[in-house]
Amino acid sequence: KQFNTRLILEQFEDNSFLPKFYEDQARYAFPLELSFLADRFQQLKSQVAVQDMFHPVAIADYFILKSLIFAKKTLNGEEFTLYSRLFSIIENVLPKPDLLVYLYLDISRLQSNIRKRGRVYEQKIEDDYLQKIQDGYLDYIKQQQGLRVLLIDTNHLDFVAKHEDYEKLTAIILQNYSPGIHRITP
């Protein structure tokens, strides 16, 4: 609202595989990753690929490559090979972001946020799993050459509860991305 953009939030609440995955990752990883890929693709294609002249800039809380990063860490070899083939078919249809912002947190802070969020099925997530996913993101970021990436250490920020931290975070992002985003003051 502050920047007159479209906000695209990941839709995961209705995914029936998610609670099952946290109970039995080996069994439910493949259907979970396929369902997320389909949902994310459909959402991004309908909301980002279509221009909105009143809200030309979109801000999403995820990027389609999230699907590939998670799949690489959760699927076995044959499953990942098949998944990668499907992913490569749909990836090129979506526009690339102008700026990818990664908000880094230590595993202990991630666990604290998970506890605060209170989703029952997430409470048993282990540190090793979170580290594996975080390593996947960081490995991906290190390999990027054609994508602008901003990695922000948010371990000492509480941009949800402290307005000054929110202002600090948005200032960092705006310094790295300015086309189409302008501060709107009442």
Side-chain angles (χ1 to χ4, degrees):
K1 203 179 228 181
Q2 180 179 355
F3 300 106
N4 194 32
T5 64
R6 288 176 285 156
L7 178 62
I8 301 168
L9 299 175
E10 183 175 24
Q11 300 168 341
F12 59 87
E13 295 90 0
D14 295 334
N15 192 315
S16 63
F17 292 109
L18 193 55
K20 296 172 186 174
F21 169 77
Y22 286 119
E23 291 297 321
D24 187 350
Q25 290 187 13
R27 181 174 180 195
Y28 290 103
F30 191 64
L32 174 70
E33 296 304 342
L34 283 178
S35 65
F36 270 138
L37 180 62
D39 292 345
R40 290 171 183 148
F41 175 73
Q42 184 176 18
Q43 183 184 28
L44 290 172
K45 188 168 187 277
S46 69
Q47 293 188 30
V48 176
V50 177
Q51 288 294 330
D52 179 340
M53 68 183 216
F54 296 108
H55 302 96
V57 175
I59 297 175
D61 70 344
Y62 70 96
F63 179 36
I64 193 68
L65 274 159
K66 173 183 185 173
S67 295
L68 190 63
I69 291 167
F70 272 74
K72 187 174 185 179
K73 297 297 180 178
T74 60
L75 300 179
N76 69 39
E78 289 178 343
E79 290 173 339
F80 183 69
T81 299
L82 175 57
Y83 185 91
S84 295
R85 287 176 49 209
L86 293 170
F87 183 87
S88 67
I89 292 168
I90 68 162
E91 175 197 16
N92 293 324
V93 175
L94 298 172
K96 305 290 183 252
D98 296 321
L99 178 67
L100 176 63
V101 179
Y102 183 83
L103 304 177
Y104 174 85
L105 273 179
D106 291 334
I107 300 302
S108 62
R109 291 281 312 271
L110 289 172
Q111 286 287 20
S112 175
N113 286 353
I114 289 169
R115 285 190 296 278
K116 284 182 202 173
R117 192 164 46 204
R119 294 183 192 133
V120 175
Y121 59 85
E122 291 180 339
Q123 299 308 307
K124 294 180 184 177
I125 295 176
E126 296 180 6
D127 289 355
D128 289 345
Y129 174 75
L130 292 175
Q131 188 64 58
K132 187 168 56 169
I133 297 301
Q134 190 168 78
D135 290 346
Y137 274 110
L138 295 175
D139 289 344
Y140 172 77
I141 288 170
K142 287 177 197 171
Q143 297 171 15
Q144 290 315 296
Q145 294 178 11
L147 180 64
R148 291 181 55 217
V149 178
L150 178 60
L151 191 145
I152 304 172
D153 185 338
T154 59
N155 281 295
H156 303 290
L157 297 175
D158 185 352
F159 55 87
V160 174
K162 294 181 183 175
H163 187 71
E164 61 272 12
D165 286 354
Y166 169 79
E167 290 292 326
K168 191 181 298 184
L169 181 65
T170 56
I172 292 168
I173 294 169
L174 288 173
Q175 284 174 335
N176 288 276
Y177 178 78
S178 58
I181 293 185
H182 305 283
R183 181 175 292 283
I184 298 171
T185 54

